Amino acid sequence: MAKVVTLGEIMLRLSPPGNQRFLQARDFEINYGGAEANVAVSLAEFGHHSVFLSKIPENAIGDAAISTLRSLNVDCSHIARGGKRLGIYFLENGSSVRPSSVVYDRADSSITKAAPYEFDLDEIFKDADLFHVSGITPVLSEEAKELTLAALKKAKEHHVTVSFDLNYRSKLWTSDIEGKQKMLSEMMEYVDICFGNARDAAKCLGYTEAGIDFIDGEYNICVDEKHMRNVLNHYHFTHLITTLRNSISASDNGWSGAVCTSDDYYKGRDYMLHIVDRVGGGDSFASGFLHGILADMGSRKALEFGLAAAAIKHTIPGDLNYITESEVLSMIESDGAGRVQR
């Protein structure tokens, strides 16, 4: 299988049990996760040599986060240790008409002070096949931006395929929006596979087309073949992949996706999901698609693999997707009715 490198922040997640409100909670359930860490775990579960890069505090909480990753076969040997703290986020899991809610407590977390010299990037990217990062990491701090850029450059020096999930998070975009768009847009020259669509590109990269409001206008135009291909061609991606989610309620979603290449646009299977935990669904989709590409399934089958992997993730509590390749393939071949397997 492939050697895959991911770079990002792993966080401590604290959630009231079940669907309790924060005000009701007398204890919190503990999970660990983060966009790139979630991808690293899924790709390790699918059998790849999955390397996670981050900076994590040298204390018991940092040890617990790393132990979680190691228990799922993620290579943590290149993680830098130090800094003040692990980032925390509090998740209130919504239900029905009440949406989920997130409160972040991540200021000055260790990853925001990480520097390129703390990582042997030549050794890390030697013999690597894929590097994955998201738009979350470089907007965390100036230091995180420099580390992301150094990793992107080094990956391309070693002829590694680069995957980038635009992953817009409004709470990270409250200031210097144009500066962040310019920075991320300049990073796109290193990217081959991009997860996003015209709306994501408009928000994260400042992408525009004359006379079209991708941010506040009709969503369908952001994910149709014409405008997906316009974004693909503008940034010279090999693949542009988007999820297609119909939020009926916090508990029930329609779920699908589409992939665009220079000569193909394909919409995948439609699922109807009853949600146990939505967090990490997009990361499971990304990792599933990337596994499909690494396994030479082709873009259409890779999309179906990603959609099925993410559909399963929505039924699993926590950020991480505890599934195997065979389970995903069984989902693809089934009608999704969830019958007991005996």
Side-chain angles (χ1 to χ4, degrees):
M1 303 299 277
K3 177 182 176 182
V4 180
V5 180
T6 71
L7 165 67
E9 180 174 26
I10 186 168
M11 304 178 72
L12 169 64
R13 165 178 149 177
L14 299 175
S15 304
N19 296 109
Q20 288 185 11
R21 306 297 311 269
F22 287 133
L23 287 171
Q24 293 175 279
R26 295 299 175 264
D27 52 57
F28 287 114
E29 295 174 345
I30 292 174
N31 286 281
Y32 293 93
E36 296 89 350
N38 299 342
V39 170
V41 166
S42 284
L43 289 172
E45 294 282 88
F46 296 144
H48 300 284
H49 176 196
S50 186
V51 181
F52 180 58
L53 305 182
S54 191
K55 186 170 184 177
I56 293 176
E58 200 159 6
N59 58 32
I61 303 302
D63 292 344
I66 292 174
S67 177
T68 298
L69 296 175
R70 283 181 174 153
S71 71
L72 295 164
N73 299 313
V74 174
D75 183 345
C76 299
S77 62
H78 297 283
I79 290 175
R81 302 301 300 270
K84 293 181 179 180
R85 58 181 300 234
L86 198 73
I88 301 171
Y89 81 96
F90 299 84
L91 172 70
E92 184 182 273
N93 219 352
S95 181
S96 186
V97 297
R98 176 171 59 85
S100 296
S101 176
V102 173
V103 177
Y104 288 105
D105 179 16
R106 70 197 309 177
D108 295 323
S109 63
S110 294
I111 189 65
T112 67
K113 305 302 179 185
Y117 70 81
E118 298 181 85
F119 304 87
D120 187 347
L121 294 176
D122 278 309
E123 178 64 25
I124 290 165
F125 285 109
K126 183 176 67 176
D127 300 325
D129 298 286
L130 179 77
F131 174 50
H132 178 78
V133 69
S134 83
I136 294 172
T137 300
V139 301
L140 291 175
S141 67
E142 185 67 22
E143 292 89 343
K145 179 195 81 171
E146 293 301 326
L147 174 59
T148 304
L149 185 58
L152 287 168
K153 290 179 177 179
K154 190 61 66 175
K156 297 317 286 186
E157 283 181 25
H158 286 266
H159 308 289
V160 176
T161 298
V162 172
S163 164
F164 199 102
D165 190 337
L166 292 177
N167 243 343
Y168 177 80
R169 296 289 185 269
S170 61
K171 293 181 180 180
L172 294 174
W173 286 78
T174 58
S175 63
D176 191 26
I177 292 173
E178 290 186 0
K180 289 173 181 174
Q181 289 175 336
K182 182 176 185 296
M183 176 262 292
L184 289 183
S185 182
E186 291 171 352
M187 289 184 176
M188 292 303 104
E189 69 175 280
Y190 304 100
V191 175
D192 303 295
I193 299 170
C194 182
F195 294 90
N197 53 54
R199 177 163 294 176
D200 299 317
K203 289 181 174 181
C204 295
L205 309 176
Y207 176 78
T208 60
E209 290 185 34
I212 301 177
D213 183 355
F214 287 120
I215 295 177
D216 296 314
E218 178 64 36
Y219 183 68
N220 288 341
I221 202 170
C222 300
V223 296
D224 66 16
E225 180 175 2
K226 175 182 177 181
H227 297 96
M228 287 280 286
R229 181 158 288 112
N230 287 348
V231 174
L232 177 102
N233 292 334
H234 183 83
Y235 296 103
H236 308 291
F237 301 138
T238 59
H239 301 75
L240 181 65
I241 313 99
T242 186
T243 58
L244 300 171
R245 186 187 292 273
N246 178 22
S247 293
I248 300 164
S249 71
S251 303
D252 296 283
N253 283 186
W255 172 252
S256 188
V259 57
C260 182
T261 64
S262 61
D263 57 3
D264 190 28
Y265 177 89
Y266 174 71
K267 180 187 174 299
R269 171 179 170 179
D270 292 308
Y271 290 85
M272 182 56 67
L273 306 179
H274 184 72
I275 297 171
V276 171
D277 194 328
R278 174 173 164 170
V279 177
D283 306 321
S284 297
F285 172 71
S287 55
F289 180 85
L290 293 173
H291 171 66
I293 294 299
L294 292 168
D296 294 323
M297 293 181 185
S299 60
R300 291 190 173 200
K301 289 184 178 179
L303 179 74
E304 296 293 0
F305 193 94
L307 288 171
I312 296 170
K313 167 62 195 76
H314 284 77
T315 72
I316 299 172
D319 291 51
L320 306 177
N321 201 7
Y322 296 88
I323 56 167
T324 63
E325 181 188 52
S326 62
E327 288 177 301
V328 178
L329 293 174
S330 293
M331 169 64 79
I332 293 172
E333 294 168 2
S334 76
D335 60 5
R339 295 179 180 86
V340 176
Q341 297 180 351
R342 300 182 187 273

